Amino acid sequence: MNKQKALLPITTFAMMFSFAVWAVFSPLASTFQQMYGLTSTQKSILVAIPVLLGSVMRLPLGIWTDRIGGRRLFSLLLLFLIVPLVGAGFADSYAMLMFWAFFIGMAGTSFAISVTFVSRLTPPEKQGTALGINAMGNFGTAVAAFSVPSIAASFGVPWAFWGMIIPVVIMLVLVWFFTPDMPKPKQQKTMRESLSVLKYKHTWTLSLFYFVTFGAFVTFGIYLPSLLVDLYGLTPVDAGMRAAGFTVLATLARPVGGYLGDKIGAERVLAFVYAGMTLGAFTIAFGMENIWVMTAACLFVAVMSGLGNGAVFKLVPQLFPAETGAVTGLVGAWGGLGGFFPPIVMGIIKDATGSYVLGFLLLSLFTLICFLLNRLVFGKKAGEPAKRFAS
């Protein structure tokens, strides 16, 4: 097997199953709420807690991928995930679920490893498309949404976790034996040198952009099942299938965003994306009582967030060709955090006001800010090197 040709499909599937692990608690949230008598806020925290570690650890793992190679680090991550999956299956309290959910969050770091791995071995003119395809690993959130409730209903809740171990082990074998080693960097950077990207304004601009686009993707992906159960009284299986539709559409749109970024410029794509997300979130806020309006608006936001995710990561290697791993980790971390806070905020808003309207209005406001910032920062400076905009 040609390891170079196998790199993209293997890393994409490895990230897909890692994301399925990352999202495994989401489709079971309503089940755990009934089992342990949880409030909306407690349920939201359980859903969001895996996102925390998976977000924070993206930065160091992006840097370590540059240092020790994607093949080794990805294999170690997949091996590690077996432990919390076994533990979560034996959990018998809300506290123990929270404990194992935290460590299952490491699955979210697969994004930083995979993107750095692929970008380092892909020609610059093809990076937008390749990274868009690679990021279809986000489809794992949909895999969890439509498979986990059915597995839990057929074999019991513990097997929703234990069943995930099988694809994780398969991908561990494929990554270790059938992907190439990354070329060693000419000069080994210290951690301080790797973190020097923090001084660039573009680092923080891209982090904010991804905080909103990927944050929306994660939030809808992990919270939509609970939201649909709460709003319309759907069964967990039905809600999971509907939520999977959002994830599938957003994931399919991501490589399109990368491709359009290659062809017309990521800045133009992002202007369209944030205008669309502003309109979509506003429509959800005032139309969620109607399931058809809610469905149409959510699917529209799915397309916009997917396009935006692909466009943002077209800009990362374009602006930071020598520090792709560090910037990928940092931007990816902020994107993950963008999916951590909204579910908790939604739970708090629901407990306090009895409605989710304010939460979606806040999303609309954030996307409007990003639209204006994109015009301000990239309107005239899109093609210039990142170093010219250091703080």
Side-chain angles (χ1 to χ4, degrees), residues 347-369:
I348 294 173
I349 289 174
K350 179 61 166 60
D351 283 337
T353 68
S355 170
Y356 295 103
V357 171
L358 180 58
F360 286 105
L361 287 178
L362 289 174
L363 173 59
S364 184
L365 175 62
F366 267 100
T367 53
L368 178 59
I369 291 171

Side-chain angles (χ1 to χ4, degrees), residues 173-353:
V173 172
L174 291 176
V175 169
W176 181 255
F177 288 105
F178 298 105
T179 61
D181 286 314
M182 286 169 48
K184 293 183 179 179
K186 296 178 181 179
Q187 184 178 1
Q188 192 75 278
K189 293 184 178 181
T190 65
M191 183 65 74
R192 182 176 181 178
E193 288 172 335
S194 296
L195 292 176
S196 66
V197 298
L198 296 175
K199 69 183 179 182
Y200 299 129
K201 291 180 181 179
H202 279 341
T203 303
W204 297 105
T205 302
L206 295 181
S207 295
L208 175 62
F209 286 175
Y210 205 59
F211 180 90
V212 174
T213 58
F214 189 72
F217 169 81
V218 174
T219 299
F220 277 84
I222 68 175
Y223 199 69
L224 200 53
S226 297
L227 188 66
L228 294 175
V229 170
D230 191 22
L231 287 175
Y232 309 114
L234 304 180
T235 65
V237 173
D238 188 9
M241 293 294 288
R242 291 171 185 264
F246 177 96
T247 303
V248 169
L249 202 54
T251 302
L252 292 176
R254 182 159 188 157
V256 178
Y259 174 80
L260 291 175
D262 284 338
K263 296 300 181 182
I264 66 173
E267 307 81 11
R268 294 179 181 177
V269 177
L270 289 174
F272 175 71
V273 162
Y274 291 123
M277 290 184 72
T278 300
L279 176 63
F282 192 82
T283 301
I284 293 172
F286 295 104
M288 71 177 75
E289 291 184 3
N290 186 311
I291 192 170
W292 296 108
V293 173
M294 177 73 166
T295 299
C298 283
L299 294 179
F300 179 71
V301 170
V303 174
M304 293 298 103
S305 65
L307 292 173
N309 291 336
V312 169
F313 268 91
K314 162 60 183 174
L315 286 172
V316 171
Q318 175 183 318
L319 296 172
F320 299 94
E323 298 105 348
T324 302
V327 178
T328 293
L330 183 65
V331 173
W334 278 103
L337 289 174
F340 171 72
F341 293 107
I344 297 176
V345 172
M346 285 290 192
I348 294 173
I349 289 174
K350 179 61 166 60
D351 283 337
T353 68

Side-chain angles (χ1 to χ4, degrees), residues 1-284:
M1 178 183 288
N2 186 317
K3 291 186 177 182
Q4 182 63 40
K5 290 183 178 179
L7 172 65
L8 187 56
I10 289 177
T11 54
T12 300
F13 276 101
M15 185 164 71
M16 183 182 74
F17 287 113
S18 296
F19 264 59
V21 172
W22 199 31
V24 69
F25 278 93
S26 171
L28 300 172
S30 296
T31 300
F32 288 133
Q33 184 177 29
Q34 295 176 357
M35 288 173 62
Y36 301 111
L38 308 179
T39 65
S40 294
T41 302
Q42 287 175 315
K43 179 181 68 173
S44 299
I45 292 173
L46 178 61
V47 168
I49 204 68
V51 180
L52 181 60
L53 188 63
S55 303
V56 174
M57 289 301 292
R58 283 182 174 187
L59 176 56
L61 264 69
I63 294 172
W64 292 340
T65 304
D66 273 335
R67 290 186 174 187
I68 68 174
R71 183 176 72 91
R72 293 182 181 89
L73 199 58
F74 217 151
S75 298
L76 287 172
L77 172 65
L78 292 167
L79 186 63
F80 170 83
L81 292 179
I82 296 171
V83 177
L85 283 171
V86 172
F90 286 108
D92 58 1
S93 68
Y94 178 65
M96 288 306 300
L97 285 173
M98 289 281 287
F99 176 82
W100 291 115
F102 179 75
F103 289 103
I104 278 176
M106 279 297 292
T109 65
S110 61
F111 174 83
I113 300 172
S114 190
V115 168
T116 305
F117 197 3
V118 171
S119 64
R120 285 284 300 277
L121 293 170
T122 303
E125 67 275 8
K126 296 181 179 179
Q127 284 178 340
T129 303
L131 293 177
I133 293 171
N134 180 241
M136 289 181 71
N138 293 335
F139 183 72
T141 308
V143 172
F146 64 68
S147 66
V148 168
S150 298
I151 293 172
S154 300
F155 304 102
V157 171
W159 279 102
F161 300 102
W162 298 338
M164 289 287 182
I165 296 173
I166 298 171
V168 166
V169 170
I170 293 172
M171 296 319 303
L172 169 59
V173 172
L174 291 176
V175 169
W176 181 255
F177 288 105
F178 298 105
T179 61
D181 286 314
M182 286 169 48
K184 293 183 179 179
K186 296 178 181 179
Q187 184 178 1
Q188 192 75 278
K189 293 184 178 181
T190 65
M191 183 65 74
R192 182 176 181 178
E193 288 172 335
S194 296
L195 292 176
S196 66
V197 298
L198 296 175
K199 69 183 179 182
Y200 299 129
K201 291 180 181 179
H202 279 341
T203 303
W204 297 105
T205 302
L206 295 181
S207 295
L208 175 62
F209 286 175
Y210 205 59
F211 180 90
V212 174
T213 58
F214 189 72
F217 169 81
V218 174
T219 299
F220 277 84
I222 68 175
Y223 199 69
L224 200 53
S226 297
L227 188 66
L228 294 175
V229 170
D230 191 22
L231 287 175
Y232 309 114
L234 304 180
T235 65
V237 173
D238 188 9
M241 293 294 288
R242 291 171 185 264
F246 177 96
T247 303
V248 169
L249 202 54
T251 302
L252 292 176
R254 182 159 188 157
V256 178
Y259 174 80
L260 291 175
D262 284 338
K263 296 300 181 182
I264 66 173
E267 307 81 11
R268 294 179 181 177
V269 177
L270 289 174
F272 175 71
V273 162
Y274 291 123
M277 290 184 72
T278 300
L279 176 63
F282 192 82
T283 301
I284 293 172

